Amino acid sequence: MQAQKKFEVECLLEEEAFNLFCKKVGEETLKCHGEIPYVARKIVKKCNGLPLAVVTVGGTMAGVTDIESWKQAESSLRNYPDIASDMEKDVSPILKFSYDRLPNETYKKCFLYCSLCPEDYEINVDDVIYRWIGEGFLGENKTKKSIHDMYAEGKSIIEKLKRACLLEVVVVEDNMWYSPPCIKMHDVIREMALWLGRDEDGSKDKVVLEEEALALASEMNSERCNVVERISILNVYGRWKIPAFRNLITLRVGRKLNITDYSNFQYMTKLKVLDLSGIKIGHLPLEIGNLINLEFLSLSKTNFQNMFQIKLKNLKNLRVLLLEEFGHDLEVIPLEGIEIESLERLKVFRFSYLYERKNIEGEEELLEKLESLTELEEVCMELRTLTGMRKLLQSTKLRSCSTHFFLQLIEGPLEMASILETLSTMMHLKYAPLLRFLRVECCGSIEEVVKEDGGSDSDDANNHIFSNLTHLILSGLPKLKSIHKKALSFPFLKFIRVLACPNLKKLPLNSNSAKDTLIQITGEHDWWNNLEWEDPALRDQFHSKFH
């Protein structure tokens, strides 16, 4: 930190450590039994004042109300090495206590998987859950568990790991743009997870990361390569010829790496998760079509000319296929060339382009192939043709699977009435109360954001509208007259941005709207000065938020 004066940060004193521990456990838990505080002091003493150990063990015991469980925890901690003599010597065993108390093997596998990311890496929650699905961690006890059940299971596991202080929430500074939820691992927790993932250092080559993986290239077909199960290289620049990892299960490579030779893919028949996101140089290995055990494949942000030549018919086990922000330099994208109809077990398909205008061929044919997949449960697509859009709107199957879709750069008149009518029948887009981020831009015909149906005018009914909204962005809407005709509570609203909406004369706000949450209203001065308010005091109340 380039501080001018340096001082030693010492371990906490016993009483300080106990107070910190009590904060993590919670007063309600401590009062459940008269002996719990006494046992808690013995547990804290074992942590020897190391804050990370105190916080992690305290988080693990939060909500544990049975005194026998506390005694068992204290007893099991006696079996871990003491860490007072040297904090850096071996912190992992004391933290392993929290790992050992996770509910089952699924939680443990998901936790260890997060250590594949580099230090301080922000892990997108949605992204890691889909990887857990690809690894087969979720839904292990049910042969026919839906993707939505597995996703909910993944979210539950993340919440448990956060409560146990094994994962941290990434705190994002409030700004105008929505940021997806992310988590990360404390560096020491990550070291512990890697230690466990490598069988407590009994098999160091089981998980290989960053520079370690590049170094293995010199040993190409050595016995060490046969031990490797998971490789992640996200933060290293270099050139790499992939060795023959015959027992590899997971391969994740970031955009900084230039892969010079994929020929050894033919030997990686056990591969389940393959992520080549962002790789921009070279040709995609056609051998991918022979990876019969592959369950997760991401080619997002790639530009492979030969993507459409890959024979996908052998990938019978593929469950997640991600092609987001695909083909940024390709002039023509022949979608009909993707043999997606062969992916019998596919559950999740995501496809989008970068913003440049593309020559799209076969959008309707691709949607027809998706429609034929019996196990497909989630589709996220960007559509750029009228025929593709109509196919989506007419298909009962695709409507039931759609969780996100984008209508972008479509030439020709959009049939807004039929689009909005179809939205109301989409299984996963009927939950407006859950909407957090709403952005409507450059639409010449829209007059109302929420069209009132003449139903209930009660305050309770209105309070359900936008009840989770945090960001509202309206821009380039020349005919827009109303967001909603009555004031809304907006209990979580942080930002409103209105630009080039000259006919929007009122905001649906009253003295209780966005109370204690609103950070900023952004717009032109003339628009703000000409707004109409039912109560002049409201203008004064919100004026300090205007920029």
Side-chain angles (χ1 to χ4, degrees):
M1 295 172 63
Q2 298 179 345
Q4 298 301 309
K5 183 178 180 181
K6 296 182 181 180
F7 59 93
E8 182 179 356
V9 180
E10 298 178 349
C11 288
L12 298 174
L13 298 175
E14 187 172 335
E15 199 60 29
E16 293 172 331
F18 182 70
N19 290 337
L20 177 59
F21 183 84
C22 291
K23 275 187 178 180
K24 296 306 298 182
V25 171
E27 187 177 348
E28 193 173 320
T29 300
L30 291 168
K31 288 181 176 179
C32 283
H33 193 282
E35 280 190 70
I36 287 181
Y38 170 73
V39 180
R41 284 193 177 274
K42 295 171 76 173
I43 289 175
V44 171
K45 194 170 184 179
K46 185 63 184 174
C47 295
N48 289 299
L50 181 65
L52 181 62
V54 172
V55 166
T56 306
V57 175
T60 300
M61 299 308 295
V64 178
T65 57
D66 178 38
I67 185 60
E68 293 305 317
S69 297
W70 277 84
K71 289 179 178 178
Q72 184 184 10
E74 190 272 328
S75 176
S76 62
L77 266 172
R78 290 188 215 138
N79 299 321
Y80 293 97
D82 192 86
I83 57 170
S85 56
D86 185 357
M87 280 172 31
E88 295 182 0
K89 180 182 176 184
D90 199 356
V91 179
S92 294
I94 196 75
L95 299 178
K96 184 175 180 288
F97 167 81
S98 293
Y99 170 81
D100 287 340
R101 291 186 66 85
L102 289 174
N104 54 45
E105 287 301 311
T106 298
Y107 282 79
K108 293 177 180 179
K109 289 176 183 177
C110 292
F111 165 68
L112 296 180
Y113 195 84
C114 293
S115 67
L116 296 180
C117 296
E119 285 187 6
D120 299 320
Y121 191 88
E122 295 186 359
I123 305 168
N124 183 293
V125 167
D126 285 353
D127 183 65
V128 77
I129 291 176
Y130 285 119
R131 293 174 195 280
W132 291 344
I133 292 171
E135 292 279 352
F137 295 163
L138 304 179
E140 287 183 314
N141 299 325
K142 294 184 181 178
T143 55
K144 202 70 177 175
K145 200 166 188 180
S146 75
I147 199 77
H148 305 294
D149 288 341
M150 287 189 276
Y151 183 86
E153 183 184 357
K155 288 292 288 284
S156 176
I157 288 171
I158 286 174
E159 290 307 311
K160 170 67 177 176
L161 294 173
K162 288 193 296 189
R163 286 196 300 271
C165 298
L166 293 172
L167 291 178
E168 301 175 12
V169 178
V170 174
V171 179
V172 180
E173 288 187 19
D174 286 320
N175 56 62
M176 184 61 71
W177 304 108
Y178 176 73
S179 298
C182 292
I183 51 176
K184 67 178 182 179
M185 270 187 163
H186 188 287
D187 293 349
V188 180
I189 299 286
R190 178 176 175 269
E191 288 299 318
M192 186 260 297
L194 288 173
W195 176 67
L196 292 168
R198 291 164 172 166
D199 298 330
E200 300 181 18
D201 283 347
S203 180
K204 289 190 176 182
D205 292 323
K206 196 173 178 181
V207 179
V208 184
L209 308 177
E210 309 301 332
E211 291 90 346
E212 297 172 340
L214 296 189
L216 276 177
S218 61
E219 304 187 29
M220 293 306 289
N221 297 303
S222 70
E223 191 58 36
R224 284 186 69 196
C225 291
N226 291 332
V227 176
V228 179
E229 292 185 3
R230 290 190 166 86
I231 290 178
S232 178
I233 312 173
L234 301 181
N235 218 20
V236 175
Y237 289 97
R239 296 168 64 84
W240 193 42
K241 178 179 180 179
I242 302 178
F245 298 111
R246 297 177 186 273
N247 291 300
L248 193 66
I249 298 171
T250 302
L251 176 60
R252 187 177 184 188
V253 179
R255 60 184 175 81
K256 296 180 180 180
L257 197 65
N258 178 6
I259 297 180
T260 58
D261 190 340
Y262 296 94
S263 59
N264 284 319
F265 261 54
Q266 60 186 309
Y267 304 113
M268 300 183 193
T269 55
K270 294 185 179 180
L271 204 62
K272 292 178 71 174
V273 171
L274 176 60
D275 184 351
L276 299 177
S277 301
I279 297 293
K280 296 181 176 67
I281 300 175
H283 285 275
L284 195 64
L286 298 181
E287 290 86 354
I288 286 179
N290 297 321
L291 299 175
I292 58 174
N293 289 306
L294 206 62
E295 296 195 27
F296 175 101
L297 174 61
S298 177
L299 301 174
S300 296
K301 301 179 182 178
T302 60
N303 191 38
F304 293 115
Q305 295 276 357
N306 64 334
M307 159 68 203
F308 307 99
Q309 299 168 18
I310 293 179
K311 304 298 180 186
L312 300 179
K313 61 183 179 183
N314 293 329
L315 304 185
K316 303 296 185 185
N317 290 305
L318 195 67
R319 297 202 285 178
V320 179
L321 177 57
L322 307 181
L323 299 171
E324 297 177 282
E325 297 185 29
F326 180 78
H328 61 285
D329 285 336
L330 301 182
E331 291 187 9
V332 179
I333 299 183
L335 296 182
E336 72 274 12
I338 303 179
E339 294 182 336
I340 201 167
E341 70 276 15
S342 304
L343 305 178
E344 298 172 357
R345 292 190 65 198
L346 192 69
K347 289 183 175 290
V348 177
F349 179 71
R350 293 191 166 204
F351 187 93
S352 64
Y353 319 94
L354 281 181
Y355 294 116
E356 292 91 341
R357 196 173 283 273
K358 306 288 182 188
N359 292 317
I360 309 301
E361 296 177 355
E363 195 171 73
E364 184 178 11
E365 289 86 341
L366 176 62
L367 289 167
E368 287 174 354
K369 292 177 182 179
L370 288 169
E371 191 176 32
S372 70
L373 297 176
T374 56
E375 293 201 17
L376 190 68
E377 295 181 40
E378 182 173 321
V379 175
C380 172
M381 272 200 72
E382 179 178 339
L383 302 177
R384 294 199 178 182
T385 67
L386 279 173
T387 55
M389 183 192 73
R390 286 169 181 152
K391 177 61 185 175
L392 172 72
L393 299 181
Q394 292 165 3
S395 170
T396 303
K397 165 75 173 178
L398 295 176
R399 291 204 311 264
S400 69
C401 293
S402 293
T403 55
H404 311 67
F405 74 89
F406 304 90
L407 308 178
Q408 182 102 328
L409 299 174
I410 292 178
E411 294 182 354
L414 290 179
E415 301 157 359
M416 288 303 295
S418 62
I419 290 174
L420 294 171
E421 184 180 351
T422 304
L423 275 175
S424 68
T425 65
M426 286 189 170
M427 184 184 300
H428 304 294
L429 301 173
K430 294 195 286 183
Y431 300 108
L434 300 181
L435 191 68
R436 293 184 182 177
F437 181 92
L438 177 60
R439 177 178 174 185
V440 186
E441 292 188 321
C442 303
C443 183
S445 61
I446 190 168
E447 296 181 10
E448 299 170 285
V449 175
V450 176
K451 183 176 178 64
E452 296 183 82
D453 58 8
S456 174
D457 285 334
S458 69
D459 290 339
D460 286 343
N462 288 333
N463 285 343
H464 287 295
I465 299 173
F466 296 145
S467 57
N468 279 283
L469 198 72
T470 60
H471 293 66
L472 176 61
I473 299 173
L474 306 171
S475 176
L477 308 173
K479 292 187 178 180
L480 181 68
K481 295 178 181 177
S482 168
I483 296 173
H484 189 267
K485 290 183 178 176
K486 296 189 183 306
L488 301 174
S489 61
F490 290 119
F492 295 103
L493 189 64
K494 296 180 179 179
F495 292 98
I496 300 174
R497 182 182 181 91
V498 180
L499 295 172
C501 300
N503 287 302
L504 183 63
K505 303 295 186 184
K506 289 185 177 181
L507 294 177
L509 303 174
N510 61 23
S511 58
N512 293 315
S513 299
K515 203 167 186 179
D516 303 322
T517 63
L518 189 65
I519 294 172
Q520 187 172 307
I521 301 175
T522 302
E524 298 106 332
H525 278 285
D526 286 346
W527 168 78
W528 176 258
N529 291 333
N530 290 314
L531 278 178
E532 299 170 4
W533 303 89
E534 291 186 9
D535 182 351
L538 286 175
R539 187 184 185 283
D540 297 332
Q541 177 182 331
F542 290 104
H543 185 71
S544 63
K545 308 290 184 182
F546 177 69
H547 290 261

